Amino acid sequence: MDMVTLTINGQTVQTKKTSTVLEAARAAGIYIPTLCYHPELSREGACRLCVVEASGARSLVASCVYPVAEGMVVETNTPKVREARKLVVELLLANHPKDCLSCQKSMDCELQTIAAELGVRKIRFAGGEMKAHTIDASNPALVRDQEKCILCGRCIRACSEIQGMDVYSFAGRGFHTIVSTAFEQGLEKVACTYCGQCASVCPTAAIVEKDDTDKAWAALADKSKHVVVQTAPSVRVALGEELGIPVGEVVTGKMVAALRRIGFDKVFDTNFSADLTIMEEGHEFIDRLTNGGVLPMITSCSPGWVNMIELKYPELLPHLSTAKSPQQMFGAIAKTYYAERAGIDAKDIVSVSIMPCTAKKAEAVRPEMNSSGYQDVDIVLTTRELGRMIREFGLDFSALPEENFDSPLGKSTGAGVIFGTTGGVMEAALRTVADVVTGQNLKQIEYKAVRGMETVREAALKIGEAEVKVAVVHTLKAAKAMMEKVKKGEAAYKFIEVMACPGGCIGGGGQPVPVDADIRRARREALFTCDEACELRKSHENPEIIELYSTWLGKPLGEKAHHLLHTKYNQQKRN
Amino acid sequence: MQHIRAHVLICAGTGCKSAGSKEVELAFQKEIKAAGLADEVMVVETGCHGFCEYGPLVIVYPEGTFYSRVTVEDVAEIVESHLLKGRLVERLLYHEPMTQEMIPNYSDINFYKKQHRLVLAHCGSINPEQIEEYIAVGGYEGLGKALTLMTPDEVVAEVKKSGLRGRGGGGFPTGMKWGFAKQSVNDKKYVICNADEGDPGAFMDRSVLEGDPHKILEGMAICGYAIGADEGYIYVRAEYPLAIKRLRVAIEQAEAMGLLGENIFNSGFNFQIHIKEGAGAFVCGEETALMASIEGKRGMPRPRPPFPAVSGLWGKPTNINNVETFANVPLILVNGADWYCQFGTEKSKGTKVFALTGKINNTGLAEVPMGITMREIIYDIGGGINNGKKFKAVQIGGPSGGCLPEELLDLPIDYDSLTAVGAMMGSGGLVVMDEDTCMVDVAKFFLNFTQSESCGKCTPCREGTKRMLEILTRITEGQGREGDIELLENMAKNIKETALCGLGQTAPNPVLSTLKYFRNEYEAHIKEKRCPAGVCEKMAIYTITDKCKGCGLCAKTCPVKAISGNLKQQHVIDQAICIKCGACMSVCPFKAITKG
Amino acid sequence: MKTLEDLKALREKLKSDIKVRQNQGTKIIIGMGTCGIAAGAREVMSAALDELAVRKLNDVQVQQTGCIGMCEKEVLLDVIRPNEPRITYGNVKPADVKRIIADHVVNGRIIEDLVVGKIEQES
């Protein structure tokens, strides 16, 4: 690998020949502020905040795109550079609302942080024209506020480069340039899957998750309602980041304790219904294998992914597993099985879920998701919203005791917890399918072949006597490529797991920000840690699941299961 | 038997066409036929002569008689008098504006005499839609020579030796630029001609494309051979439909003759040219935005490096040059670099085509050797300031450029001398201003342009030019504040340092340049709330002079009752109430009200 | 277009089509003032054009001029060959045109018996 040596602020730095000045500086621990730069997106050099002085250049250069060269001398903090940076921020602030104190992203906003760091005290352009205050709150999942947009373009790049959906683009010119959808329509009118990756990368509050905490507070305050909550696997390995706890720590017990103190009547676990999903989906897979059903079968627990296939590949819908997602299965069971056992009228149950996902907000309001007789899930809160609720409640999170989930929807196996990572659903399914197909309690629990972070992975596994080829993809861009293969008949797999978000749900649109590859890896490893710590690691071993089926539900794929836990899909037409 | 003894050349450039030259041409054809002269006299449509102030232009050969402002009604007389009897129609001949001297011959007119028409040589003297005429004047011999007698290295060396510099505004040595693209190793390379010509008021490139399109095709092909490209694009702004049409015809004709396409001159060299129309964005004249536009993306610039010579169109090595730059290339190849070096100055060789516009008598195009002074251009060629007014400044370089005041009129014009005084050559647009021009208003005009054309990508340009414009607007409306000038200078300095592309980096130039030479005008606006040139409407001060007869008409007309006075006595305007609508001045029968 | 030589040959051929605009080569100037026309200048002009067409002399310019004063000698016809004096022929008839073109225009031989004036050209 070719290396070069350069000097940054008097410090000698050795770096790869292909590095940018910003990369070299960061590797050497030298801080340069940025806004439009994102390590996982293409470099635009647009915001001009990261400018530095570099020998040989005619003017200041944007360090995020400027290539290093042997012997280059870089200064990142001269008066000239600081003055230029401050003007950039001053210009952004001049065209930005001043309601930081009451903004949803206050204390979590990159522009706010940088303005404070750089010490911008005066905005000399008061009284000038400001951006139009257009809000798009058309859909259940995301809210866009043009007033807060600083035109960094990260959302455009994330939607295009990571997700391949190209929902956003710049439109207009000059001062009136905006980030827009086709014909400035609301997200619900364009091919947006609500995956929330745009919200994940937005440095300000221009794109945020829709805040449903008010609804949750109202339900909790309503004495006549029995409010139950389920928590997704990905939440417990990321919630701590919202509350001052280091990345990668598992905070399950404290999370349960917090939810109880906030006032939820029952704190249940989505991991339970993840096990349930494996029961249904695993048997569905076996059924297709033995009875000539449509193959490859594709998982359906990621609503961003389901939106994508309904929008873009409706002809491939028969491939989707008819099993609902764990969130929705939980809701259906909560308002029937649980309601009966607890003697509560289902109409008084408010079913809340804590999810790493913004698309789940839209999934919950899908009209067909009411097989319990009521909307199966009433309120979806993202990890970020739960963090806000805990702060509002004034809880000292790290001082909370470890508590356990409630029965009968609280027990789970290791298979359930790994749902949050790419490959996790596949591995969980294999653990059950292998035992069912062979009729044995196989020793093999882990299927490391389907683990990893590459966006497309494949494995050929031996299940009993048969060789089963499977594939795992994550990000919608990789999903698209895979669907093209399926269309052409080139996907020689029996089973494909698709997750819309990078890394799977742990990288979901509702998770704490910022996020990068290291943070995702830490969250993922925490999930596997949980898995390894579980006593039971195969979904069909879950005693609460066994009880559910034997006392109430019947058989997997049976009539009751079919009615409550399976769904139909349709082509989505947005306008 | 047919023997053509006279050619009637009628300018069919966009300027003359909009003044009715097509109708004049049809009238000529009709009258000539009626007079029985169809076998003797040929009517030829040509490209733009450049002397647009005087169009529609008609030049009759063999005499070379220059008729100006010809209308349909004049045609019969020209045919009868000149073509039949050999008697010139004096009233239609060109008359020198300052002296009224009548000059029958094209080549004797000062406007043309002082020019050195190399790039514009054939504009106005050949039919651009006939490749035969281009060949008749030596066209494609440059390409032939390059392909059959020279190696690509030799071609690059010749262009380097000629000292040709980019004519689009940057002034980068062309040979060196070609050398970079040649050096890049790749199986595919491109040549792009930047024909976006976005500067307001610039039409040099348009005239060349309309009047001598083959020259550009030839120049591009030579470049392709030199750098190893087999495909070229001409990016033409969509607002030039005639240029686009002429280019398409030219490409077709060149391909039919084997001068473009496969195996040109049996050399094994292939070259194909496509036309891509712009979509109305000034920023697409910037090379990386231009390439994005060709690729079908939004026209936004990207940071450089990598430079186009290394990674350009679709990531391939690309050489982009301006129309005028390519137009110089065939001449250099045919006549040699040494010949070319005799024109111009030491560091700026050759000629430059300027578009003379503004308060000048002879508006049009002038091609002059580098090193000529601005005074010669404005007075000798331009015929001086019109309406007898006094020269104030000349804006050079359009929205990216600066102004030159009177004390710099004797500056020899070349790339380096202009940048040394805070201006820039730009594409060659010259806007001449007189004493009635407000320099603050001029700065505001250009900044308004760059702000609305900003692509919006980078903060300093998108937001910074907007805020500078707001300050300038306040100043021109009498709302200027102490500290505004310093703020403008500070912002200008930082924007120049941080903007991503040339548009943003040069947008502050008109402000800085007018501040440098006309700071007193800014100060008058801010401190005295007065516009010295009397242009800024909101600051005009209307005063009733002693010419006033006290008729009271103005007081009756004033919509806000700001005028008071007794009958037959001098009236007075209350400035505190006056809304500066100017109604009083327009009704005063004694011209007793002044605006200043 | 196969070679550079082909191009140059084509150029030679096409050059004459636009020679008219180049103000070079031999000029024939015919007096077309009222007196000239009355004396038959138009017929002389037609004869000249015809002869030039027959001989394919495409690079000879034909211009008209007004009355130069020698009215009784009309039709006046001038021949100016490059670098040679301007010769004015008088009382030119259409029948003389063939001879003037053959002898003087093509071969440079002045027809003395028709000459009425001779002006040295400044170079």
Side-chain angles (χ1 to χ4, degrees):
Chain A
M1 175 57 64
D2 279 337
M3 304 289 278
V4 296
T5 309
L6 62 152
T7 315
I8 306 181
N9 297 351
Q11 192 179 320
T12 310
V13 176
Q14 259 223 327
T15 185
K16 290 203 286 265
K17 198 164 118 173
T18 51
S19 300
T20 59
V21 171
L22 179 68
E23 286 165 346
R26 286 203 170 169
I30 297 170
Y31 172 64
I32 300 176
T34 60
L35 270 174
C36 75
Y37 170 78
H38 191 285
E40 295 173 333
L41 302 171
S42 64
R43 318 295 150 73
E44 293 288 79
C47 69
R48 315 311 283 181
L49 187 60
C50 67
V51 289
V52 296
E53 287 190 39
S55 56
R58 269 184 309 171
S59 60
L60 297 178
V61 296
S63 54
C64 66
V65 291
Y66 201 68
V68 296
E70 181 66 38
M72 186 184 280
V73 178
V74 175
E75 291 290 336
T76 70
N77 272 318
T78 61
K80 184 178 180 185
V81 168
R82 294 201 323 273
E83 185 183 328
R85 274 196 206 136
K86 279 171 101 148
L87 179 66
V88 167
V89 176
E90 189 188 353
L91 287 170
L92 288 173
L93 293 181
N95 200 1
H96 202 84
K98 309 293 185 289
D99 61 352
C100 297
L101 297 179
S102 47
C103 174
Q104 187 168 319
K105 291 263 305 250
S106 178
M107 310 285 269
D108 208 9
C109 168
E110 290 184 43
L111 180 63
Q112 187 185 43
T113 308
I114 283 173
E117 267 173 13
L118 288 175
V120 178
R121 294 278 163 267
K122 200 155 177 256
I123 299 169
R124 294 168 289 178
F125 316 111
E129 195 181 330
M130 307 250 311
K131 278 194 280 280
H133 190 185
T134 326
I135 297 192
D136 171 21
S138 58
N139 64 87
L142 299 163
V143 179
R144 293 165 55 227
D145 185 349
Q146 291 287 19
E147 220 188 26
K148 301 193 173 168
C149 176
I150 57 168
L151 292 133
C152 68
R154 291 187 351 196
C155 54
I156 300 174
R157 284 176 274 148
C159 191
S160 177
E161 295 166 17
I162 295 180
Q163 298 297 63
M165 293 303 286
D166 292 301
V167 164
Y168 296 116
S169 174
F170 285 114
R173 271 215 295 257
F175 188 73
H176 304 286
T177 310
I178 52 169
V179 172
S180 182
T181 55
F183 307 106
E184 290 185 56
Q185 298 176 95
L187 288 175
E188 97 284 14
K189 285 258 189 289
V190 297
C192 170
T193 62
Y194 309 129
C195 72
Q197 287 306 304
C198 53
S200 239
V201 297
C202 178
T204 65
I207 309 179
V208 292
E209 69 283 1
K210 177 164 261 177
D211 189 312
D212 288 316
T213 55
D214 280 349
K215 284 194 205 147
W217 287 129
L220 290 166
D222 188 344
K223 294 279 182 264
S224 68
K225 296 292 182 194
H226 183 80
V227 189
V228 304
V229 66
Q230 53 162 313
T231 60
S234 299
V235 180
R236 69 206 65 198
V237 297
L239 179 62
E241 293 167 42
E242 286 288 314
L243 300 158
I245 291 180
V247 171
E249 264 201 41
V250 181
V251 296
T252 318
K254 296 191 198 299
M255 174 180 72
V256 174
L259 287 165
R260 277 211 185 95
R261 293 201 182 14
I262 287 175
F264 287 96
D265 293 303
K266 287 283 185 219
V267 182
F268 293 130
D269 194 356
T270 314
N271 291 9
F272 164 86
S273 45
D275 282 336
L276 184 57
T277 304
I278 290 302
M279 295 301 291
E280 291 301 317
E281 196 162 341
H283 281 88
E284 184 190 3
F285 178 54
I286 295 167
D287 178 57
R288 291 196 194 190
L289 270 178
T290 43
N291 296 327
V294 176
L295 292 174
M297 188 170 100
I298 312 180
T299 59
S300 57
C301 48
S302 166
W305 149 242
V306 171
N307 285 333
M308 197 273 254
I309 190 178
E310 284 183 333
L311 282 165
K312 302 280 188 188
Y313 296 95
E315 70 277 19
L316 299 179
L317 285 173
H319 288 269
L320 268 191
S321 159
T322 56
K324 288 182 185 176
S325 67
Q327 168 178 279
Q328 296 303 131
M329 283 195 183
F330 177 93
I333 293 296
K335 292 195 180 182
T336 52
Y337 172 70
Y338 167 69
E340 272 177 45
R341 272 175 67 132
I344 300 173
D345 191 341
K347 76 165 172 32
D348 295 323
I349 296 183
V350 177
S351 155
V352 179
S353 68
I354 316 289
M355 291 285 144
C357 174
T358 44
K360 289 264 176 223
K361 290 181 188 263
E363 186 187 34
V365 297
R366 285 173 76 123
E368 68 273 17
M369 295 292 181
N370 59 358
S371 42
S372 61
Y374 304 88
Q375 207 64 20
D376 298 336
V377 176
D378 298 298
I379 303 172
V380 177
L381 300 171
T382 57
T383 315
R384 297 198 286 266
E385 286 162 277
L386 178 58
R388 289 203 281 278
M389 289 179 82
I390 293 173
R391 287 196 294 271
E392 185 176 333
F393 217 68
L395 290 174
D396 183 357
F397 189 76
S398 43
L400 290 171
E402 308 283 320
E403 293 186 6
N404 290 320
F405 289 105
D406 290 314
S407 273
L409 309 176
K411 277 211 166 48
S412 62
T413 68
V417 80
I418 59 174
F419 257 61
T421 176
T422 168
V425 175
M426 179 62 71
E427 188 171 338
L430 290 168
R431 292 180 189 180
T432 292
V433 165
D435 276 10
V436 172
V437 159
T438 57
Q440 297 167 29
N441 182 358
L442 292 172
K443 273 229 168 64
Q444 172 158 26
I445 294 175
E446 295 179 355
Y447 289 85
K448 292 224 163 100
V450 300
R451 297 188 186 183
M453 285 304 253
E454 301 79 35
T455 53
V456 183
R457 308 192 291 284
E458 46 175 54
L461 308 155
K462 220 135 189 303
I463 312 261
E465 291 309 309
E467 200 197 63
V468 178
K469 265 179 131 166
V470 301
V472 177
V473 302
H474 59 112
T475 74
L476 291 175
K477 191 172 188 185
K480 261 190 177 180
M482 181 59 77
M483 287 309 105
E484 290 296 323
K485 275 174 88 168
V486 172
K487 253 171 88 162
K488 289 194 204 135
E490 289 168 7
Y493 311 105
K494 296 280 193 285
F495 197 4
I496 305 176
E497 177 206 282
V498 179
M499 292 198 186
C501 294
C505 310
I506 41 114
Q511 290 283 64
V513 287
V515 67
D516 59 34
D518 291 330
I519 293 175
R520 284 193 211 100
R521 190 176 312 117
R523 293 176 186 167
R524 196 170 83 95
E525 277 160 21
L527 285 180
F528 284 118
T529 306
C530 288
D531 171 34
E532 285 156 23
C534 281
E535 206 190 302
L536 301 164
R537 300 178 68 191
K538 299 179 190 173
S539 298
H540 54 277
E541 296 172 340
N542 183 335
E544 282 184 350
I545 294 287
I546 294 170
E547 194 186 340
L548 168 63
Y549 276 102
S550 58
T551 63
W552 192 85
L553 195 49
K555 280 189 139 50
L557 307 180
E559 201 196 308
K560 212 166 187 177
H562 197 85
H563 169 66
L564 288 174
L565 308 176
H566 289 257
T567 185
K568 282 200 181 48
Y569 306 102
N570 288 302
Q571 179 176 18
Q572 271 191 39
K573 284 192 207 273
R574 289 293 178 89
N575 51 16
Chain B
M1 227 174 156
Q2 191 198 57
H3 176 101
I4 301 292
R5 62 166 172 89
H7 287 194
V8 176
L9 268 57
I10 302 178
C11 177
T14 296
C16 284
K17 260 205 160 148
S18 39
S21 71
K22 187 70 188 172
E23 289 73 27
V24 167
E25 186 192 334
L26 294 171
F28 263 105
Q29 281 169 347
K30 184 166 140 246
E31 293 295 332
I32 286 169
K33 191 159 173 218
L37 294 172
D39 281 345
E40 300 171 25
V41 180
M42 185 164 95
V43 175
V44 183
E45 222 184 54
T46 69
C48 173
H49 289 261
F51 208 172
C52 309
E53 176 71 36
Y54 287 90
L57 297 175
V58 174
I59 304 187
V60 180
Y61 282 101
E63 300 89 334
T65 310
F66 188 89
Y67 287 116
S68 60
R69 298 206 175 116
V70 177
T71 64
V72 172
E73 289 73 35
D74 298 322
V75 175
E77 190 182 342
I78 297 178
V79 174
E80 160 95 30
S81 181
H82 185 151
L83 293 176
L84 273 174
K85 296 194 196 154
R87 264 203 290 261
L88 307 185
V89 181
E90 286 188 3
R91 68 178 177 82
L92 291 172
L93 292 173
Y94 173 75
H95 292 72
E96 257 327 317
M98 302 288 249
T99 60
Q100 290 311 305
E101 188 194 338
M102 185 177 80
I103 306 185
N105 266 32
Y106 180 63
S107 47
D108 292 330
I109 295 176
N110 260 347
F111 184 79
Y112 290 107
K113 235 173 34 179
K114 288 249 160 177
Q115 292 190 39
H116 212 103
R117 293 165 75 88
L118 302 180
V119 167
L120 299 179
H122 309 134
C123 289
S125 59
I126 62 167
N127 183 341
E129 297 193 24
Q130 291 274 34
I131 190 174
E132 289 82 3
E133 295 211 3
Y134 183 65
I135 291 176
V137 294
Y140 287 105
E141 281 183 29
L143 179 61
K145 184 171 168 190
L147 293 184
T148 60
L149 301 172
M150 299 168 80
T151 64
D153 274 322
E154 286 169 343
V155 174
V156 174
E158 195 70 8
V159 175
K160 271 193 180 151
K161 195 164 161 214
S162 74
L164 177 64
R165 289 168 72 165
R167 295 289 193 256
F172 191 84
T174 308
M176 202 186 281
K177 204 177 194 182
W178 287 22
F180 293 144
K182 177 173 195 307
Q183 246 174 284
S184 294
V185 179
N186 205 300
D187 56 353
K188 182 75 184 176
K189 297 185 188 176
Y190 293 99
V191 174
I192 298 182
C193 174
N194 186 345
D196 196 51
E197 192 159 60
D199 281 0
F203 57 104
M204 302 74 63
D205 293 347
R206 172 169 66 72
S207 298
V208 177
L209 293 171
E210 289 176 358
D212 198 2
H214 285 282
K215 222 187 198 132
I216 306 307
L217 305 182
E218 192 183 349
M220 287 175 73
I222 293 171
C223 177
Y225 175 66
I227 70 170
D230 64 353
E231 225 178 309
Y233 281 85
I234 306 180
Y235 187 88
V236 199
R237 59 183 305 184
E239 295 90 329
Y240 285 174
L242 185 56
I244 294 172
K245 174 180 160 225
R246 297 254 163 95
L247 281 168
R248 285 200 208 281
V249 168
I251 292 175
E252 244 176 69
Q253 291 181 349
E255 283 176 345
M257 271 216 179
L259 293 162
L260 281 178
E262 312 263 313
N263 199 14
I264 304 172
F265 285 117
N266 242 353
S267 63
F269 172 65
N270 309 330
F271 198 69
Q272 207 194 9
I273 298 183
H274 314 282
I275 295 180
K276 164 80 183 166
E277 290 181 38
F282 174 70
V283 71
C284 284
E286 196 279 342
E287 61 183 15
T288 58
L290 190 156
M291 291 190 295
S293 178
I294 296 180
E295 292 173 7
K297 302 190 204 133
R298 180 178 154 99
M300 296 205 297
R302 59 158 177 80
R304 294 170 296 174
F307 288 91
V310 171
S311 171
L313 193 60
W314 288 298
K316 304 292 180 191
T318 305
N319 181 70
I320 306 188
N321 278 126
N322 171 267
V323 168
E324 196 181 330
T325 314
F326 278 125
N328 275 287
V329 170
L331 304 164
I332 293 172
L333 267 280
V334 167
N335 298 306
D338 289 330
W339 165 86
Y340 193 75
C341 284
Q342 69 182 294
F343 308 112
T345 64
E346 198 203 316
K347 294 240 180 81
S348 304
K349 292 290 176 203
T351 59
K352 178 81 191 80
V353 181
F354 288 103
L356 274 65
T357 62
K359 307 284 180 70
I360 200 173
N361 276 313
N362 296 338
T363 55
L365 289 182
E367 183 176 353
V368 292
M370 297 276 197
I372 196 175
T373 66
M374 193 53 86
R375 193 183 296 280
E376 287 173 88
I377 295 180
I378 292 177
Y379 289 96
D380 296 345
I381 298 178
I385 309 299
N386 60 4
N387 296 326
K389 298 275 184 177
K390 197 167 161 313
F391 171 86
K392 186 166 190 183
V394 54
Q395 169 77 6
I396 175 166
S400 315
C403 62
L404 298 178
E406 183 162 10
E407 58 257 36
L408 291 178
L409 274 180
D410 293 304
L411 181 74
I413 305 293
D414 76 15
Y415 288 102
D416 307 305
S417 65
L418 285 171
T419 40
V421 297
M424 87 185 229
M425 181 80 73
S427 58
L430 294 174
V431 184
V432 179
M433 301 167 197
D434 66 13
E435 60 201 272
D436 291 337
T437 312
C438 170
M439 298 314 284
V440 186
D441 186 61
V442 165
K444 187 177 88 164
F445 169 81
F446 282 115
L447 202 54
N448 189 31
F449 177 78
T450 39
Q451 155 55 213
S452 47
E453 292 293 331
S454 167
C455 77
K457 181 166 173 174
C458 77
T459 317
C461 179
R462 182 187 73 240
E463 308 282 340
T465 57
K466 173 72 175 177
R467 300 307 175 199
M468 282 184 75
L469 179 61
E470 282 176 346
I471 296 169
L472 279 175
T473 306
R474 270 197 295 102
I475 293 175
T476 59
E477 291 180 355
Q479 306 290 326
R481 300 197 273 258
E482 195 63 46
D484 273 349
I485 294 180
E486 290 72 19
L487 181 55
L488 282 172
E489 286 175 327
N490 181 266
M491 290 181 74
K493 182 181 74 152
N494 281 298
I495 291 172
K496 279 175 79 70
E497 282 286 340
T498 55
L500 191 153
C501 85
L503 191 157
Q505 286 157 7
T506 59
N509 284 353
V511 178
L512 286 174
S513 172
T514 49
L515 270 172
K516 181 171 179 179
Y517 297 112
F518 299 96
R519 197 186 188 90
N520 56 312
E521 280 194 48
Y522 281 84
E523 286 172 346
H525 280 71
I526 294 172
K527 296 188 178 140
E528 301 166 47
K529 305 286 186 257
R530 179 180 66 90
C531 173
V535 167
C536 297
E537 282 301 326
K538 297 229 171 104
M539 290 167 50
I541 297 181
Y542 290 88
T543 319
I544 301 179
T545 66
D546 54 16
K547 285 198 190 136
C548 173
K549 301 271 188 272
C551 71
L553 188 52
C554 57
K556 283 203 200 80
T557 313
C558 176
V560 293
K561 304 215 188 320
I563 306 181
S564 57
N566 296 319
L567 202 55
K568 298 233 174 95
Q569 285 179 345
Q570 185 169 345
H571 279 47
V572 80
I573 298 173
D574 187 342
Q575 296 301 333
I577 306 173
C578 173
I579 57 165
K580 314 192 191 282
C581 68
C584 55
M585 188 165 151
S586 57
V587 300
C588 176
F590 304 104
K591 291 208 191 334
I593 303 185
T594 58
K595 173 182 154 189
Chain C
M1 197 66 56
K2 277 294 143 195
T3 63
L4 188 53
E5 283 59 47
D6 289 345
L7 180 68
K8 290 192 173 168
L10 183 59
R11 178 187 179 175
E12 282 312 303
K13 196 159 81 77
L14 294 171
K15 244 163 124 160
S16 53
D17 289 347
I18 57 165
K19 253 287 167 59
V20 174
R21 303 175 210 167
Q22 254 132 39
N23 215 22
Q24 294 164 345
T26 306
K27 294 199 222 320
I28 296 176
I29 306 179
I30 302 175
M32 294 282 239
T34 312
C35 42
I37 292 178
R42 273 217 229 281
E43 291 71 28
V44 169
M45 167 77 91
S46 296
L49 292 177
D50 278 348
E51 184 66 19
L52 290 172
V54 160
R55 286 172 172 273
K56 296 198 184 7
L57 293 170
N58 292 323
D59 50 355
V60 174
Q61 287 181 37
V62 179
Q63 293 183 19
Q64 326 102 298
T65 186
C67 173
I68 55 164
M70 267 200 274
C71 309
E72 57 164 52
K73 299 269 197 301
E74 291 286 3
V75 174
L76 292 166
L77 186 150
D78 289 11
V79 175
I80 314 173
R81 286 181 20 123
N83 302 317
E84 289 179 24
R86 177 181 184 147
I87 305 297
T88 305
Y89 294 110
N91 296 323
V92 174
K93 305 273 179 300
D96 299 320
V97 169
K98 255 195 153 84
R99 194 157 57 111
I100 293 173
I101 288 175
D103 287 3
H104 188 167
V105 173
V106 176
N107 293 313
R109 271 198 312 268
I110 300 172
I111 305 165
E112 296 296 343
D113 53 299
L114 286 175
V115 175
V116 295
K118 184 176 182 166
I119 305 170
E120 297 294 336
Q121 294 297 301
E122 316 107 62
S123 41

